[in-house]
């Protein structure tokens, strides 16, 4: 939709969800620079894909989920709002690359995907999404879905992709989809929450907290990539043993991962009381049908992990889970409000997420009308110095993304190594004291024991009068000794 919205062109005006407020702020702050919150889902489709039928399914989804048509306005308003137009055209383009050799497809796809991110989205002019469909052969296609994170969270992105192909297979019959949950239900639920109780809970949780800011501004080389990424494959055996430890201690897998990440950050920063961010689903079971709702329900909140020198890892994780449960009824509060309550301008610049939701990256079982669909989220960045994402499955996968402007490669690699070593130590014996676990790698140990301990200074041989004479010869016009008024 282009041009200014008039009263007759929109159907609803809504406030912003807690995380939407933060994302709009970051979007406005970015200005003309790249928006960190553009997300791309790239799907590989095998089979006789009908482009027109797929486009119809996508347009039906945009019509069905009114909040995906939202435009975000703030000028002249005391609080930003999202305005829902009656309709919005879906940007769509189709490209025929059937002449591209198989060996050149990856490069061509990457180039098209990069072009789909340029330009970004003007959030005042919806919809903040677009599609591109590439034909490689009659039975091989790629579908690139680019959108702004302000519309969809990770849970919803998986639902969106599933519903797209369910509508495709049903030839647009919406009866194939579960009942729709209006986005306004979220705000109705938020309005019933106890602001005072939530504020008191967060003030207590963050009392005397010290911010943990890992990032330091660095001058990256002109040819170096802006972002770095590390992917860790946790083996089947280690994944199984960690899962068994969690069950034995009555801990959730999320508690295990976030608690261990806190210990890693503590070992790296020399602290036994750390704070970092995490993203939660934000889907209250009090909202009927919330598990199938499409929109931005997730929220980012602080996580605090603390321990003493005598605490064993199992006790640290158990205490951490108890604190998280106590806060679970208040995790709807926006990060900006929580930071204000803490008295800190910024609490953290690292984010850790345990992706225990229907992930958009897991589309291997999707099929429709003789189509086989696989895909991955290939562009999903944030403005933080470093993010770590744990993706559960038969084998745990961990993805670390970081800004090279704020975080050195060596720092990201050191944290990744420490995380794996801590996992191995916990899987072997969760009752070890935190202070007993050696998390240093070979390179780090060499620096601590050798490099940073290199205090020796070379000594020049000779007598004191001889050294004095050498110095006098080098600087004959400089005063050597002052005694009273004599030089």
């Amino acid at each position: 939709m282009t041009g200014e919205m008039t009263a007759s062109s929109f159907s609803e005006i809504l406030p912003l969800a807690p995380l939407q407020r933060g994302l709009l702020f970051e979007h406005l702050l970015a200005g003309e620079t790249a928006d960190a919150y553009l997300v791309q889902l790239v799907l590989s489709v095998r089979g006789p894909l009908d482009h027109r039928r797929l486009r119809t399914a996508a347009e039906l989804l945009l019509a069905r989920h009114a909040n995906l048509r939202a435009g975000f306005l703030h000028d002249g308003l005391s609080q930003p709002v999202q305005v829902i137009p009656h309709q919005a055209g879906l940007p769509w383009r189709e490209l025929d690359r059937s002449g591209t050799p198989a060996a050149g497809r990856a490069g061509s796809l990457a180039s098209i995907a990069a072009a789909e991110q340029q330009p970004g989205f003007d959030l005042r002019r919806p919809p903040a999404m677009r599609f591109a469909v590439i034909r490689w052969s009659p039975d091989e296609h790629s579908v690139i879905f680019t959108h702004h994170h302000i519309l969809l969270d990770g849970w919803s992105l998986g639902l969106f992709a599933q519903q797209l192909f369910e509508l495709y297979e049903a030839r647009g019959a919406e009866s194939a989809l579960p009942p729709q949950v209006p986005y306004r239900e979220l705000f109705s639920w938020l309005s019933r929450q106890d602001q005072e109780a939530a504020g008191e809970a967060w003030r207590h949780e963050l009392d005397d907290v010290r911010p943990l800011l890992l990032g330091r501004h660095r001058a990256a080389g002109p040819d170096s990539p802006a972002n770095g990424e590390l992917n860790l494959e946790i083996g089947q055996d280690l994944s199984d043993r960690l899962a068994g430890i969690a069950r034995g201690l009555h801990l959730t897998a999320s508690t295990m991962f976030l608690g261990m990440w806190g210990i890693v950050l503590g070992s790296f920063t020399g602290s036994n009381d750390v704070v970092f961010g995490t993203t939660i689903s934000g889907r209250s079971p009090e909202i009927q049908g919330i598990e199938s709702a499409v929109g931005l329900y997730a929220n980012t909140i602080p996580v605090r992990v603390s321990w003493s020198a005598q605490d064993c890892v199992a006790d640290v994780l158990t205490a951490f889970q108890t604190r998280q449960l106590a806060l679970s009824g208040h995790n709807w509060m926006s990060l900006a409000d929580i930071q204000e309550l803490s008295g800190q301008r910024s609490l953290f610049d690292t984010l850790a997420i345990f992706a225990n939701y229907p992930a958009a990256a897991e589309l291997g079982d999707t099929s429709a009308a003789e189509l086989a669909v696989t895909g991955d989220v290939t562009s999903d960045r944030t403005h933080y110095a470093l993010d770590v994402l744990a993706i559960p499955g038969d084998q745990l996968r961990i993805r670390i993304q970081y800004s090279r402007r704020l975080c050195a490669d060596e720092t990201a690699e050191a944290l990744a190594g420490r995380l794996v070593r801590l996992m191995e130590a916990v899987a072997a014996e969760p009752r070890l004291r935190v202070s007993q676990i050696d998390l240093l790698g070979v390179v780090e140990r060499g620096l601590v024991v050798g490099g940073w301990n290199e205090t020796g200074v070379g000594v020049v041989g000779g007598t004191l009068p001889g050294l004095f004479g050498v110095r006098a010869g080098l600087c004959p016009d400089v005063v050597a000794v002052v005694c009273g008024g004599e030089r």
Side-chain angles (χ1 to χ4, degrees):
M1 186 181 74
T2 59
E4 295 298 323
M5 286 183 278
T6 64
S8 61
S9 66
F10 59 84
S11 60
E12 197 170 23
I13 299 177
L14 296 172
L16 269 60
L19 185 54
Q20 284 182 317
R21 289 166 53 187
L23 294 178
L24 180 60
F25 174 81
E26 293 298 333
H27 171 78
L28 297 173
L29 188 65
E32 297 299 319
T33 61
D35 193 326
Y37 290 93
L38 292 187
V39 182
Q40 277 189 329
L41 176 62
V42 179
L43 303 174
S44 175
V45 183
R46 290 187 174 273
L49 179 66
D50 184 329
H51 291 198
R52 180 177 298 179
R53 195 165 145 193
L54 183 67
R55 182 172 185 173
T56 298
E59 290 173 340
L60 284 171
L61 277 183
L62 186 60
R64 173 183 173 84
H65 301 292
N67 50 299
L68 300 186
R69 304 193 302 272
F72 297 84
L73 306 179
H74 69 281
D75 285 337
L77 303 175
S78 59
Q79 293 290 334
V81 297
Q82 50 187 317
V83 178
I84 314 297
H86 291 292
Q87 58 185 3
L90 179 61
W92 183 279
R93 69 174 181 143
E94 298 179 6
L95 303 95
D96 190 340
R97 295 292 186 268
S98 53
T100 307
R105 289 181 185 177
S108 180
L109 179 60
S111 177
I112 296 169
E116 283 296 294
Q117 295 194 54
Q118 302 296 330
F121 294 105
D122 181 347
L123 296 184
R124 299 169 299 177
R125 303 179 187 278
M129 61 170 62
R130 62 176 70 100
F131 276 86
V133 181
I134 304 104
R135 180 182 187 272
W136 306 109
S137 76
D139 289 330
E140 295 173 291
H141 298 78
S142 293
V143 178
I144 304 175
F145 173 50
T146 307
H147 67 283
H148 197 282
H149 188 27
I150 201 168
L151 297 181
L152 294 165
D153 53 31
W155 184 313
S156 295
L157 182 54
L159 293 174
F160 184 90
Q162 291 166 15
Q163 291 185 13
L164 176 66
F165 285 95
E166 286 171 0
L167 278 175
Y168 177 92
E169 185 168 28
R171 297 184 178 274
E174 293 193 55
S175 59
L177 302 182
Q180 180 188 1
V181 180
Y183 199 46
R184 75 178 79 91
E185 292 297 318
L186 171 64
F187 302 103
S188 177
W189 178 80
L190 286 170
S191 69
R192 298 192 297 271
Q193 304 313 299
D194 190 331
Q195 292 275 350
E196 186 175 339
E200 182 59 32
W202 280 111
R203 269 191 292 267
H204 181 266
E205 171 67 9
L206 299 175
D207 183 42
D208 295 329
V209 70
R210 295 181 61 185
L212 192 156
L213 301 176
L214 190 69
R216 298 290 185 270
H217 285 278
R218 306 170 61 252
D223 299 325
S224 64
N227 300 301
E229 181 171 309
L230 299 172
N231 288 283
L232 310 178
E233 292 284 348
I234 307 303
Q236 184 74 57
D237 178 63
L238 180 55
S239 298
D240 290 345
R241 284 189 289 145
L242 287 171
I245 294 293
R247 286 192 299 271
L249 295 174
H250 305 290
L251 301 174
T252 66
S254 176
T255 292
M256 282 280 289
F257 172 70
L258 295 177
M260 286 191 292
W261 179 248
I263 293 172
V264 167
L265 286 177
S267 76
F268 192 81
T269 59
S271 173
N272 61 353
D273 186 2
V274 300
V275 61
F276 55 95
T278 193
T279 299
I280 58 168
S281 73
R283 294 174 182 253
S284 170
E286 296 176 15
I287 304 176
Q288 188 174 3
I290 192 65
E291 67 282 351
S292 60
V294 173
L296 186 73
Y297 293 87
N299 193 24
T300 297
I301 57 171
V303 170
R304 189 175 188 178
V305 184
S306 59
W307 62 93
S308 69
Q310 299 304 312
D311 286 339
C312 70
V313 176
D315 290 342
V316 174
L317 297 178
T318 299
F320 170 59
Q321 179 163 279
T322 300
R323 291 172 67 171
Q324 290 299 102
L325 286 173
L327 283 167
S328 61
H330 311 294
N331 55 22
W332 49 267
M333 185 170 274
S334 75
L335 180 58
D337 290 340
I338 293 172
Q339 288 189 156
E340 185 176 352
L341 289 169
S342 74
Q344 302 291 343
R345 185 174 180 181
S346 182
L347 283 171
F348 54 82
D349 64 358
T350 65
L351 203 66
I353 302 170
F354 189 81
N356 54 346
Y357 51 78
E362 303 293 340
L363 292 169
D365 295 332
T366 301
S367 61
E370 301 180 340
L371 302 179
V373 184
T374 58
D376 196 7
V377 179
T378 61
S379 178
D380 189 0
R381 301 289 184 184
T382 76
H383 68 283
Y384 293 106
L386 183 143
D387 301 341
V388 55
L389 174 69
I391 306 169
D394 293 337
Q395 295 186 50
L396 183 66
R397 290 184 293 137
I398 295 175
R399 179 184 300 164
I400 296 176
Q401 297 176 321
Y402 56 98
S403 164
R404 283 194 167 95
R405 183 176 59 86
L406 298 172
C407 180
D409 292 338
E410 295 79 8
T411 297
E413 291 163 2
L415 288 168
R418 291 189 185 207
L419 179 59
V420 173
R421 284 187 285 276
L422 179 60
M423 287 179 167
E424 291 170 341
V426 172
E429 178 47 76
R431 296 290 174 184
L432 276 177
R433 290 201 301 269
V434 176
S435 57
Q436 290 179 300
I437 302 175
D438 183 4
L439 298 182
L440 293 180
V442 175
V443 174
E444 286 186 284
R445 178 165 297 283
L447 282 172
V448 172
V449 177
W452 294 342
N453 212 28
E454 233 8 279
T455 56
V457 178
V459 178
V460 180
T463 64
L464 180 60
L467 293 174
F468 190 88
V470 170
R471 182 63 180 170
L474 292 173
C475 308
D477 300 325
V478 177
V479 175
V481 178
V482 177
C483 182
E486 306 245 346
R487 297 184 167 199

